[in-house]
Amino acid sequence: MTRLIDLSQEIYQGMYVYPGHLKTVIWEHHSHEETRRNFEGGFSYQSRGLLMSDHGPTHVDALSHLDPRPEAPSIDQMALDLFYGPALCLDVSFKEPQSYIGARDLDLALEGSRSELRRGDILLLYTGTYNRYHGTAAYLSQYPGLDEAGSSWLVEHGVKTFGVDAPSPDNPISRTYPCHMMCRAHGITHYENLANLEQLVGRRFIFAGFPLRIRQGTGSPVRAVAILEDEIDDKR
């Protein structure tokens, strides 16, 4: 049987977003009471307005977000197959907040998973940040990040796209952001603010996290989902 696991965080007014990004605002635009006057027979509708950053909730980065070159693609220009495909989740939750995830840490996580990381896979890193801190101010600062060697490890292993259950794959205390710089250099995008990754640790699955088609978007909110199939989950 197919099982779907929601990897997306809830979107709501007052949610914590990466420091400096636009805050999320949601308001009632139409109410049933207002709109029923426009129709006969009892029909009415309601709608809401949304104001938020293209990097606010669970989202994927466009390469134009982190690469200043004019030719860097915006989110609507990126190939759809970057956002879908076979995936693996590794457990790096043993790393303390504001520490660095290095290549050796990723080697240990892969060995401990007893699974296989294949070239062209999407890789999700379970840091435990969402489970520990979501809904609190600590979520914005208490997470680990990849160092230069850890970021290069992703390239060396042929990872197509990757994601974390934290506001950034870079350490919040870093001033150089080596992981984002690796993404710029190699044209690799990533997801931020994922959730529920503890359910996927050590498992192979199909990942889907398609962005909205935002013209010139520097990123996009996504509804990220893991699709578990018996024939996909064949390496435990």
Side-chain angles (χ1 to χ4, degrees), residues 11 17 26-27 37 44 48 74 82 90-91 102 126 132 140 144-145 154 170-171 191 193-194 200-201 224 230:
I11 299 174
V17 299
I26 303 174
W27 68 94
R37 297 192 294 265
S44 65
R48 290 192 168 191
S74 56
L82 293 173
L90 296 182
D91 185 358
Y126 170 60
R132 297 183 185 116
L140 300 180
L154 303 180
D170 273 297
N171 193 318
Y191 293 83
N193 298 320
L194 293 168
L200 299 173
V201 166
D230 289 339

Side-chain angles (χ1 to χ4, degrees), residues 2-173:
T2 300
R3 185 160 64 98
L4 303 180
I5 298 178
D6 193 350
L7 307 181
S8 311
Q9 297 186 23
E10 184 183 15
I11 299 174
Y12 58 95
Q13 184 161 309
M15 64 183 293
Y16 286 96
V17 299
Y18 185 88
H21 282 334
L22 182 70
K23 295 184 182 300
T24 302
V25 181
I26 303 174
W27 68 94
E28 184 179 76
H29 184 67
H30 286 127
S31 69
H32 284 288
E33 182 178 348
E34 292 171 330
T35 60
R36 69 167 52 100
R37 297 192 294 265
N38 300 328
F39 302 94
E40 297 177 358
F43 177 73
S44 65
Y45 67 87
Q46 63 177 352
S47 66
R48 290 192 168 191
L50 304 176
L51 180 66
M52 61 183 178
S53 170
D54 53 4
H55 297 269
T58 303
H59 69 276
V60 64
D61 282 3
L63 293 177
S64 63
H65 169 62
L66 45 87
D67 187 343
R69 292 176 296 179
E71 63 270 25
S74 56
I75 200 66
D76 54 315
Q77 298 170 333
M78 294 174 68
L80 289 177
D81 63 3
L82 293 173
F83 313 115
Y84 176 88
L88 173 68
C89 181
L90 296 182
D91 185 358
V92 292
S93 63
F94 57 89
K95 298 299 294 185
E96 293 293 326
Q98 300 187 355
S99 67
Y100 284 95
I101 302 168
R104 180 56 181 159
D105 297 315
L106 294 173
D107 284 336
L108 290 172
L110 182 57
E111 292 168 10
S113 74
R114 298 183 179 179
S115 191
E116 178 186 2
L117 178 62
R118 304 166 187 167
R119 300 192 73 82
D121 274 350
I122 295 171
L123 179 64
L124 305 185
L125 298 178
Y126 170 60
T127 69
T129 306
Y130 173 78
N131 299 64
R132 297 183 185 116
Y133 300 119
H134 76 277
T136 73
Y139 177 76
L140 300 180
S141 63
Q142 298 303 304
Y143 57 92
L146 291 157
D147 64 10
E148 186 172 352
S151 301
S152 296
W153 187 97
L154 303 180
V155 178
E156 293 163 3
H157 284 74
V159 170
K160 176 174 75 171
T161 306
F162 67 100
V164 295
D165 56 344
S168 172
D170 273 297
N171 193 318
I173 64 173

